[in-house]
Each structure stands twice: as C-alpha cells, then as structure tokens.
Amino acid sequence: MRNTAFLGAGLGLLFLQSVLFWVTGRIPLPGLTPSLILPLIVFMGVHEYNIARGAGLACVFGYGVDLFAAAPVGLFTFVSVATFVLARAAGVRLAAQHIIAQFPLALVFSVVQSIMVLVLLAIFGRNPHGSRDMLALVLPHAVSTAIFSPAVFAVASRIHSFTASAPGTATRGAAP
C-alpha cells in the first residue's frame, strides 16, 4: 500500500515538475526548475524504507525523469538510486522531520545530485566541455528544489503516516 501511494505521489510530482519546467522556462534565469522528485527520494532514504523497495521506486522515478527531461536513458535512473542510497547511509531521520532542516537537507542533496549528473555527463557525454557550461545551473536548481522541498516532505509525511495504519503494513506472524 505504501509503495503504491509513493509511486502515485512520485508520478504526480513528476508531471507537476514537467509543468513547472514550461512555466519557469519563460523566466530568463536558467536552471530554475526544481526537482520535485529529489525530496521524495531523500524522504524515503532517511526514513529507513526497505532498501530494495526504495531503490526500486527511486529507479522508477529516475527513469521517469530521464523520459520527461530527454536525458540520456539511465542517467537520472542511476543518480536517483545513488541519491536514495546516500540518503539511507546519511541516516538523518530526525533532521528531515523539521522544516528548518528540510531546506538545507534538500539543498545539499540537490547539489550532490547535480554534481553527480555533471560528472557522468563529462565522462559519458558527447561534449566533454558541456558539463562545465552547465555548472552555472547547479545553484539556481538547488535553491529552487530546496524551496519546494518542505511541501514535498509534507506530502510524503502524510503518505507515510496514512499508510502506517494500513492493513498491509502489519508485521508477518502477528496476531490480528
């Protein structure tokens, strides 16, 4: 139940992110489109979800970003799974529960994710200097992602609390 709810929320955020791309594309500051999927992936990582299920959802979300962003297939898929694993390893569960800490957490993970993307593009891309040209997009992207992150964390927290009492989340072997 929880994974289905997160999948639906992630796909909805992916569609909203693509709409925001067209809206922010009219603003002369490049790189302003936020990543709405990143805070959801970080939320799943810091709240210690099953690593196989979390990595699977992160893979689906990353593949969706690959398709919507017209990125090389597999780029954001890999980076999303790596971000989930990094968030899981960070183990900052308490920090992700307060709005004051959500902004810097999303900012840091957005910068890390952007640097991973730029490094992979420099290594595997057709233009090795293209990543250097896109370096100026990292900060506006990270700030816009951090601004939207408390809203995404709130949605994820509601899904988390709503599905905690769902019948399918009970432990196996427990008496009904």
Side-chain angles (χ1 to χ4, degrees):
M1 171 85 176
R2 178 175 288 160
N3 294 328
T4 306
F6 273 115
L7 180 64
L11 292 176
L13 289 171
L14 194 59
F15 286 121
L16 183 61
Q17 181 176 329
S18 67
V19 169
L20 283 174
F21 173 76
W22 291 108
V23 170
T24 59
R26 307 213 188 294
I27 300 172
L29 181 64
L32 199 57
T33 304
S35 173
L36 299 179
I37 295 295
L38 176 70
L40 186 62
I41 292 171
V42 171
F43 180 89
M44 291 186 319
V46 299
H47 280 81
E48 300 177 9
Y49 283 98
N50 181 342
I51 195 154
R53 290 181 185 160
L57 282 172
C59 181
V60 169
F61 297 152
Y63 187 70
V65 173
D66 282 337
L67 293 178
F68 278 107
V73 175
L75 177 66
F76 282 101
T77 305
F78 173 77
V79 169
S80 295
V81 173
T83 303
F84 171 78
V85 172
L86 283 174
R88 173 88 186 229
V92 288
R93 182 176 183 189
L94 294 175
Q97 294 179 357
H98 304 287
I99 285 181
I100 296 170
Q102 290 170 354
F103 185 86
L105 185 67
L107 185 74
V108 167
F109 272 100
S110 181
V111 168
V112 168
Q113 186 182 40
S114 295
I115 289 172
M116 281 193 287
V117 167
L118 291 178
V119 166
L120 289 171
L121 283 175
I123 294 170
F124 298 111
R126 292 183 181 151
N127 182 4
H129 302 291
S131 320
R132 191 172 12 157
D133 297 336
M134 292 190 300
L135 193 58
L137 305 176
V138 171
L139 190 59
H141 175 71
V143 169
S144 65
T145 299
I147 288 171
F148 281 91
S149 67
V152 175
F153 272 100
V155 168
S157 180
R158 285 205 171 182
I159 291 171
H160 177 74
S161 63
F162 176 73
T163 57
S165 61
T169 58
T171 58
R172 290 185 181 179

